[in-house]
Amino acid sequence: MGNDSSKRSNFRRLPGRALASFALVLLLAGCAGIGSRSTPEYRTDAAQKVFARAYENIFDKYIEALATPNFAMDGIAGLSSIDESLGVRRRGPHVLLTVSGTEVARFPAPEADNIEAWARLTTNVIDAGRERSVLLKAAMAEDIYTAVLNAAVSHLDRHSRYAGLRSARDSRAQREGFGGVGIRLNFDRGLPEIITVMPDTPAEHSDLKAGDIIIEVDGAAVAGLDRDAIVWRLRGEVGSEASLLVRRKDAAEPVRVSVRRALIVSQTVHLRKQENLAVITLTGFNQRTARNLNRTLETVSRMRPRPAGIVLDLRGNPG
């Protein structure tokens, strides 16, 4: 398990005719203030930069011509997913905010091609809504981004969606690796149980064993934490030390194990023999996929008896 300290938020999209590529990636770490492990509180200045970058990406990436007011208005109207009493509509040169059908604020509509102004309008409406809605006031930044940006792309095509902080962070970790100890966990019993100690990782060179149940990470108990929170505790800077307290079947007392985190890159190349064929499955792409595929092909070339052929299985590979 590991931690990738810089975060990304992004849009993801399956192949379709409306986009030049299948993924719209927004590098929002610097402007969104999402470098910490916790979900950040909403800040107007950060949000305006996020929405400007998002609207620019939507406008630039779609092949078909888009009118910024259309998807921006759809996005602002998405606030109703947080508080259904909130409404947003266009009336002539103004954008109106309503609460339970009653107008509470109005704003001049920006020029159609001014993306920065539409981002500013989005945050102005949100600020006005937060003054009148307890639910919107309590919403964290990521909740608001998700509500607005999912609504902004909802009418463009059925494949586009906003992938938030957690999804973007996990995707980057899969591609580039993360600082961790090299274990796979089972969470079915509440406390995380080590089911695999990955080869050529710090865990393999430590006293950790399959079957160990983790009860503390760096001195903090993990009981009651969800999966994501536990994974975050296990991840950290490459070279940092993780102190794990584990319960072991053959030990009367819990065992403390110290492990120095290293770069962990997920294995995406898997080999199996099926009758007289070598089947190589690629479950994803990351920075080591090409190297590992070459090594796997070398392994196949040394097989005796030699396989009659090789099947390269890309089914289910999101890359």
Side-chain angles (χ1 to χ4, degrees), residues 29-225:
C31 61
I34 53 179
S36 66
R37 293 188 177 194
S38 60
T39 302
E41 295 184 357
Y42 178 84
R43 291 196 351 257
T44 300
D45 57 344
Q48 186 173 320
K49 294 176 182 178
V50 170
F51 292 130
R53 188 72 177 272
Y55 291 167
E56 182 181 4
N57 270 263
I58 295 171
F59 185 87
D60 288 345
K61 298 299 183 182
Y62 269 75
I63 295 174
E64 298 172 359
L66 295 178
T68 302
N70 292 344
F71 64 77
M73 284 297 298
D74 285 341
I76 301 171
L79 296 173
S80 63
S81 67
I82 297 176
D83 186 341
E84 62 182 11
S85 72
L86 297 175
V88 180
R89 67 176 184 270
R90 182 85 177 261
R91 180 184 292 171
H94 293 95
V95 173
L96 310 183
L97 172 66
T98 63
V99 176
S100 300
T102 301
E103 179 184 333
V104 295
R106 66 170 54 198
F107 310 88
E111 296 181 2
D113 60 350
N114 192 334
I115 289 178
E116 291 283 345
W118 280 100
R120 186 162 53 251
L121 172 66
T122 303
T123 56
N124 288 342
V125 173
I126 292 171
D127 288 343
R130 282 164 60 84
E131 293 177 1
R132 296 163 175 85
S133 166
V134 174
L135 293 175
L136 188 58
K137 180 71 173 178
M140 302 302 284
E142 189 63 26
D143 298 328
I144 295 175
Y145 298 155
T146 299
V148 172
L149 297 178
N150 268 335
V153 299
S154 62
H155 294 122
L156 299 184
D157 67 75
R158 63 187 177 87
H159 300 295
S160 296
R161 65 180 178 86
Y162 171 69
L165 171 61
R166 180 182 295 187
S167 177
R169 183 197 66 204
D170 290 345
S171 294
R172 182 175 182 182
Q174 289 295 320
R175 292 192 309 271
E176 301 177 10
F178 46 82
V181 299
I183 54 178
R184 293 191 176 94
L185 300 174
N186 174 26
F187 293 87
D188 292 342
R189 300 179 182 178
L191 290 174
E193 178 184 358
I194 299 175
I195 55 174
T196 305
V197 175
M198 298 165 61
D200 196 27
T201 65
E204 184 185 39
H205 304 296
S206 75
D207 191 35
L208 290 174
K209 300 178 181 180
D212 286 350
I213 296 175
I214 299 173
I215 55 179
E216 284 185 8
V217 178
D218 293 335
V222 299
L225 298 179

Side-chain angles (χ1 to χ4, degrees), residues 234-286:
L234 288 166
R235 295 181 179 182
E237 299 263 340
V238 171
S240 64
E241 188 173 279
S243 176
L244 278 62
L245 188 66
V246 301
R247 187 186 304 146
R248 186 169 292 165
K249 290 180 180 179
D250 57 358
E253 298 291 334
V255 178
R256 186 168 297 279
V257 181
S258 293
V259 189
R260 193 164 297 279
R261 296 178 179 96
L263 180 66
I264 307 297
V265 180
S266 298
Q267 177 60 260
T268 59
V269 183
H270 307 274
L271 171 65
R272 75 179 190 277
K273 194 165 183 188
Q274 186 171 320
E275 297 177 351
N276 63 339
L277 296 174
V279 180
I280 301 174
T281 302
L282 267 62
T283 56
F285 289 108
N286 60 34

